[in-house]
């Protein structure tokens, strides 16, 4: 049974967030190359407007704002696991990405009559910034809260390099390839970040395999609880290919 791991780069440029995400996806794929399918999508060049709380989604069961939101939402729904790679802006999530998760929650809650299903997606989080202690952990904590609200399951990588997720800093370098250069130079902090990112990717893949196969074994039991109906329907589609 295939496992789809989606990497979402929340950066508006092609740089450090994409680099770290690529390493995480490579590590995820290495767990079971014949089973794990990986894909990366980026907010670079995309347009996401903020939620205006018009509540039209309650009537139409979809967001009526015309931009790239639906593309990302559909990718999110198709995935078994998601790795977010998010730059830290002003000690937290960048505005364009916060707009996406605001609208994702609002739309999916509206689609399901304010009783969203247990989506059971495994979520791992990477955050990077230019300063040590510049908000990377705060960004990760915000996204952990988002994952819980969406009925998903959060995992980290392996200690001591990863506790909540994977985070790093580029020592105020303006370069879009700062992490790659720092790793080539043997920088200790960058190597630790790479270890965290790779262990995160592996843990995301392994947990997604456990959950998907576990749900299959418990299918008859879980059918009694409506909160799992959406996931069971997705499982049926995935099994058919």
């Amino acid at each position: 049974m295939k496992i789809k791991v989606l990497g979402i780069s929340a950066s508006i440029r092609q740089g450090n967030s994409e680099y770290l995400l690529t390493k995480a996806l490579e590590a995820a794929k290495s767990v079971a190359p014949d089973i794990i399918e990986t894909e990366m999508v980026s907010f670079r060049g995309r347009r996401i407007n903020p939620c205006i709380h018009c509540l039209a989604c309650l009537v139409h069961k979809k967001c009526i704002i015309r931009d790239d939101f639906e593309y990302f939402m559909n990718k999110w729904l198709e995935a078994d696991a998601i790795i977010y790679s998010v730059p830290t802006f002003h000690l937290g999530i960048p505005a364009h990405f916060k707009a996406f998760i605001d609208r994702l929650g609002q739309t999916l809650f509206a689609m399901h009559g304010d009783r969203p299903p247990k989506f059971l997606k495994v979520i791992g989080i990477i955050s990077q910034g230019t300063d040590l202690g510049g908000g990377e952990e705060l960004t990760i904590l915000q996204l952990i809260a988002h994952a819980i609200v969406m009925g998903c399951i959060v995992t980290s990588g392996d200690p001591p390099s990863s506790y909540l997720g994977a985070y790093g800093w580029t020592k105020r370098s303006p370069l879009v390839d700062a992490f790659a250069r720092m790793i080539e130079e043997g920088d200790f902090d960058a190597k630790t970040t790479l270890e965290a990112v790779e262990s995160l990717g592996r843990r995301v893949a392994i947990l997604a395999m456990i959950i998907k196969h576990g749900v299959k074994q418990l299918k008859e039991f879980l059918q009694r609880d409506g909160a799992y109906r959406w996931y069971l329907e997705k499982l049926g589609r995935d099994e058919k290919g």
Side-chain angles (χ1 to χ4, degrees), residues 5 36 43 68 70 89 106 108 124 153 160 165 181 195 221 225:
V5 179
I36 306 294
F43 275 68
D68 292 313
E70 192 168 340
F89 285 16
Q106 183 74 18
L108 293 181
I153 299 160
R181 294 193 186 196
E195 289 173 6
F221 173 77
D225 188 336

Side-chain angles (χ1 to χ4, degrees), residues 70-218:
E70 192 168 340
Y71 167 81
F72 286 104
M73 183 183 76
N74 289 336
K75 290 289 186 183
W76 193 94
L77 288 170
E78 291 168 4
D80 297 304
I82 296 162
I83 302 175
Y84 292 129
S85 187
V86 184
T88 296
F89 285 16
H90 200 71
L91 301 181
I93 301 172
H96 58 277
F97 190 62
K98 183 61 165 63
F100 167 69
I101 62 174
D102 283 346
R103 288 169 62 188
L104 182 70
Q106 183 74 18
T107 301
L108 293 181
F109 270 62
M111 287 172 64
H112 295 279
D114 219 24
R115 296 180 66 86
K118 300 298 183 185
F119 288 106
L120 296 185
K121 299 180 187 300
V122 178
I123 290 184
I125 305 157
I126 302 166
S127 182
Q128 58 85 21
T130 57
D131 298 280
L132 179 62
E136 294 88 355
E137 284 193 346
L138 294 175
T139 299
I140 290 173
L141 286 169
Q142 288 176 312
L143 288 170
I144 287 174
H146 145 74
I148 293 170
V149 168
M150 299 306 296
C152 298
I153 299 160
V154 183
T155 189
S156 66
D158 300 319
S161 60
S162 175
Y163 289 97
L164 297 175
Y167 74 90
W169 65 302
T170 55
K171 303 183 178 180
R172 287 210 164 269
S173 172
L175 300 174
V176 296
D177 61 347
F179 265 111
R181 294 193 186 196
M182 289 164 65
I183 288 168
E184 287 178 1
E185 293 167 0
D187 181 89
F188 175 79
D189 289 342
K191 287 173 64 178
T192 302
T193 297
L194 183 60
E195 289 173 6
V197 162
E198 291 177 338
S199 68
L200 177 71
R202 290 191 293 271
R203 290 299 172 199
V204 165
I206 291 168
L207 187 54
M209 292 170 66
I210 291 170
I211 290 171
K212 196 165 188 177
H213 285 81
V215 169
K216 184 177 180 180
Q217 294 300 315
L218 294 170

Side-chain angles (χ1 to χ4, degrees), residues 2 11 21 24 39-40 57 59 66 70 83 95 115 130 140 155 174 197 223:
K2 297 291 185 182
S11 179
L21 182 56
E39 180 184 6
M40 183 173 71
C57 55
V59 177
R66 301 296 93 198
E70 192 168 340
I83 302 175
R115 296 180 66 86
T130 57
I140 290 173
T155 189
V197 162
Q223 284 173 343

